[in-house]
Amino acid sequence: MSALIQATRIQLICPCGSAQEYIATTNIIILLKTRRRVREWGGFTHSSIDNPGFTGYFWDRGEVTASESERSSRWVPDRNVRIFIDVPEHVVGELLQYLEMLRDKMNEAYKFAGVPQKSLWITLQALHILGDRTN
């Protein structure tokens, strides 16, 4: 018999449009494979690293110019790998401390690869997983 299991989906957005970002994203995937908690949750899924299928745009507010009155704002395209981690039987609030640590590790990966990021996004969604009842 089937049952709906409450869960949370964690989505990591990993810029992967340059060789350095490719290295950082690969290192994040390797990191996830080494994490005990990710194994306990059952694993993760990611889109293609070799040909990132998601393009996003972020509004870069730029730096203040010499006149101190204008910014060099512009849209910046961003090729991204999406990583999904479904966490059964956990709600968003229970995951916050872990996700803060994970975001720090992601930032370190990009910085180490020579492409520090202004902002890395981790999003969360409440969801239900259709599973089998164990009792």
Side-chain angles (χ1 to χ4, degrees):
M1 174 172 263
S2 297
L4 289 177
I5 302 164
Q6 286 190 331
T8 298
R9 171 166 288 166
I10 301 167
Q11 179 180 241
L12 312 177
I13 308 297
C14 297
C16 193
S18 70
Q20 295 92 341
E21 290 173 340
Y22 179 96
I23 291 166
T25 301
T26 300
N27 286 335
I28 290 166
I29 290 169
I30 291 168
L31 171 75
L32 292 172
K33 288 180 176 180
T34 67
R35 305 312 282 184
R36 179 185 51 81
R37 287 187 75 180
V38 175
R39 286 193 308 269
E40 289 171 359
W41 294 334
F44 63 98
T45 302
H46 66 82
S47 60
S48 174
I49 302 170
D50 295 325
N51 187 18
F54 296 93
T55 301
Y57 296 88
F58 70 91
W59 184 249
D60 184 358
R61 298 191 190 290
E63 302 296 323
V64 176
T65 62
S67 68
E68 294 293 328
S69 62
E70 295 181 21
R71 291 184 175 266
S72 56
S73 301
R74 63 189 173 100
W75 283 109
V76 177
D78 211 9
R79 296 190 71 195
N80 297 292
V81 169
R82 291 170 58 178
I83 301 173
F84 299 100
I85 308 168
D86 291 342
V87 184
E89 300 176 347
H90 288 278
V91 295
V92 172
E94 298 171 345
L95 302 170
L96 184 59
Q97 185 176 8
Y98 185 82
L99 295 176
E100 288 173 338
M101 178 278 304
L102 182 57
R103 185 179 58 192
D104 289 345
K105 295 287 187 190
M106 290 172 66
N107 277 312
E108 287 173 17
Y110 284 97
K111 186 176 179 182
F112 182 75
V115 284
Q117 301 295 300
K118 288 185 178 185
S119 177
L120 289 171
W121 281 53
I122 296 177
T123 62
L124 306 167
Q125 297 172 276
L127 66 122
H128 292 87
I129 299 170
L130 182 61
D132 293 323
R133 228 181 265 265
T134 56
N135 49 0

